Amino acid sequence: MTVTYKVEQGGALKGCIRVPGDKSISHRSIMLGSIAEGATHVSGFLEGEDALATMNVFRALGVRIDGPDHGSVTVHGVGRHGLRAPAKVLDCGNSGTSMRLLCGLLAGQDFDCELSGDASLRKRPMQRVAEPLARMRAEILTAEGGRPPLRIKGSANLRGIDYRMPIASAQVKSALLLAGLYARGRTCVTEPAPTRDHTERMLAAFGHAVERNGSTVCVSGGGKLTAIAIKVPADISSAAFFMAGASIARGSDLMLEHVGVNPTRTGVIDILRLMGADIELLNQRQAGGEPIADIRVRHAELKGIEIPVGLVPLAIDEFPVLFVAAANARGATVLRGAEELRVKESDRIAVMVEGLQALGVVAEPAADGMRVTGGNYGGGTVASHGDHRVAMAFSIAALRASAPITVTDCANVATSFPGFVELARSAGLRIQDL
Ligand code: S3P
């Protein structure tokens, strides 16, 4: 199915909205719930295709999962050794998180399996998990160039390692920690910069000890996870489109409810604030081991900045819409140290430069980032290249364009943000899908 967005220029974002559940936490709720003992009740689950792919994988591994029903899911855990050999290839769809975390979780099972996904996922690098997992004595066979499909030979002989990650990746860290549950001894991962820590928080909530010492996190193999109730907060990565949109659109005053504000995810707020955005965190509270807030965003005149490199991993999924914010800022915004953007659902540096230039924005690519000069821009047709976050970012750009923007190939917005068009329209974006 092809989906095209047509977005009329102008408008402001107003009112009070709640974006769908956090994708990272939704994936992990299914994974840990499946290998726990007892029934894990999840509310606020993201009914997006990525999280549903993880759910279907665990069903294929013999786990009974009820739902989703309006965000409610019950995972009937089978215990650490209760997964069963799947009858077919496990399809991760568009989801890198599913595939990479599953590599770790499945390496220590007593059966073999194969993982694959869609055309975008089959181009993404998997060596980053296969290589350190091999050091744990896992056997993972990749296709050419370290790409999917992956054949995983289950092994009872995993051993813990000390691994210093060359890249700041929560997916790699999580894959190793999940393999560590099945390994002899301790598995320790040291990160070059802080990355999202949902796996660590959730493991602890399921009763599995996690030690953190500076930038190193360790788990020991063995033990059991005990089912819990999980309340998934709204996804800050989805809220980010509206934070940037309300910041750039004159007259905006928008409240985003119940957003997860885990400090390993709030780089987008820090970056927008450095650019001069007016963002307030209200009613800060905790739910299910994660910090939550309501976020009020009002229009502000933005200025260009050099994005601090330390914030890059903390905002890694938000750069498409941050580039759009930069196109609306006074002066230039420069991003460096973000080569990871080249291996996301699309090459987000190349694809965003192409789209921004199509609208008349001055955007210059670098190997590891981009320089965007703010100013007025027009409308036109932009190719999302099937990347959900690119599609949503260019929809938001229309708030300040001088003519309508058409965004092609938007079906994958359903991977992370089902109901985007309706919710965005309710807040004031002049969007329709064709
Ligand atoms: C994720 C980690 C990030 C992020 C992805 C989700 C996770 O990837 O881009 O959308 O849930 O662990 P990397 O860890 O590869 O940067």
Side-chain angles (χ1 to χ4, degrees):
M1 195 183 63
T2 63
V3 176
T4 301
Y5 291 165
K6 177 107 194 268
V7 197
E8 298 296 327
Q9 73 273 26
L13 299 182
K14 290 187 184 156
C16 185
I17 59 172
R18 180 167 172 162
V19 301
D22 188 276
K23 184 151 75 74
S24 294
I25 297 176
S26 296
H27 281 299
R28 288 157 172 82
S29 70
I30 300 293
M31 294 181 185
L32 297 189
S34 291
I35 58 165
E37 295 184 11
T40 288
H41 299 286
V42 187
S43 58
F45 182 80
L46 170 65
E47 297 186 21
E49 287 166 4
D50 279 12
L52 295 175
T54 290
M55 184 181 267
N56 286 332
V57 164
F58 280 88
R59 283 184 172 136
L61 293 165
V63 182
R64 199 180 116 214
I65 303 175
D66 304 329
D69 179 13
H70 297 90
S72 280
V73 171
T74 301
V75 186
H76 298 273
V78 294
R80 220 161 46 89
H81 293 289
L83 299 177
R84 297 275 163 264
K88 53 182 180 12
V89 174
L90 300 169
D91 181 6
C92 299
N94 191 244
S95 175
T97 308
S98 307
M99 185 170 281
R100 296 205 179 104
L101 271 57
L102 280 163
C103 279
L105 185 60
L106 295 175
Q109 305 296 330
D110 59 7
F111 53 81
D112 305 343
C113 56
E114 187 171 335
L115 299 175
S116 195
D118 72 5
S120 154
L121 185 56
R122 287 199 309 272
K123 285 192 214 137
R124 296 181 66 188
M126 295 297 147
Q127 208 52 40
R128 55 180 61 199
V129 286
E131 191 272 327
L133 287 169
R135 296 195 205 183
M136 295 178 75
R137 299 199 178 138
E139 292 183 54
I140 301 178
L141 207 69
T142 68
E144 214 183 300
R147 309 268 187 266
L150 306 177
R151 285 225 196 89
I152 303 177
K153 204 161 155 21
S155 162
N157 292 319
L158 299 191
R159 52 157 195 169
I161 56 165
D162 254 311
Y163 185 64
R164 190 170 278 277
M165 287 194 293
I167 45 173
S169 167
Q171 293 181 352
V172 175
K173 172 177 67 175
S174 301
L176 295 186
L177 295 177
L178 293 173
L181 300 179
Y182 292 88
R184 229 171 318 114
R186 252 156 56 108
T187 299
C188 294
V189 185
T190 301
E191 39 189 14
T195 67
R196 67 191 69 192
D197 64 358
H198 306 299
T199 303
E200 297 93 299
R201 285 175 189 252
M202 203 182 282
L203 275 172
F206 273 93
H208 194 95
V210 178
E211 287 166 64
R212 178 166 278 275
N213 195 345
S215 57
T216 301
V217 49
C218 304
V219 295
S220 294
K224 66 167 189 171
L225 307 187
T226 306
I228 54 170
I230 298 175
K231 286 189 184 154
V232 182
D235 196 329
I236 189 169
S237 297
S238 297
F241 298 101
F242 294 96
M243 287 187 223
S247 297
I248 64 173
R250 298 196 177 94
S252 293
D253 184 352
L254 185 69
M255 184 75 91
L256 293 153
E257 285 184 316
H258 206 78
V259 181
V261 287
N262 178 316
T264 60
R265 297 286 298 281
T266 47
V268 61
I269 296 177
D270 299 333
I271 292 169
L272 284 171
R273 279 182 172 159
L274 287 171
M275 297 175 78
D278 178 355
I279 301 178
E280 260 183 290
L281 266 54
L282 304 165
N283 194 14
Q284 297 199 43
R285 55 211 185 263
Q286 293 275 325
E290 293 277 349
I292 315 287
D294 300 324
I295 300 181
R296 182 177 184 184
V297 190
R298 281 174 276 194
H299 167 257
E301 293 299 332
L302 300 184
K303 60 174 195 294
I305 59 165
E306 280 196 23
I307 296 173
V309 172
L311 290 177
V312 169
L314 309 181
I316 193 66
D317 291 335
E318 285 66 74
F319 286 106
V321 83
L322 283 168
F323 295 140
V324 169
N328 288 282
R330 194 168 13 89
T333 295
V334 180
L335 172 69
R336 302 306 300 263
E339 49 279 279
E340 273 299 296
L341 294 182
R342 295 214 176 260
V343 290
K344 293 294 179 188
E345 286 83 328
S346 69
D347 175 343
R348 286 182 174 161
I349 294 174
V351 165
M352 287 302 301
V353 164
E354 176 193 298
L356 288 167
Q357 289 178 347
L359 300 177
V361 176
V362 178
E364 299 147 79
D368 64 343
M370 194 189 301
R371 179 188 172 90
V372 182
T373 306
N376 296 328
Y377 54 87
T381 296
V382 169
S384 78
H385 292 268
D387 186 323
H388 55 137
R389 299 200 198 279
V390 171
M392 290 186 275
F394 281 113
S395 307
I396 291 296
L399 288 162
R400 285 286 294 272
S402 62
I405 295 179
T406 299
V407 191
T408 61
D409 207 2
C410 300
N412 279 338
V413 168
T415 61
S416 68
F417 202 145
F420 170 71
V421 168
E422 295 72 22
L423 194 68
R425 203 186 298 129
S426 78
L429 190 70
R430 297 166 178 170
I431 183 169
Q432 46 173 323
D433 46 359
L434 307 174

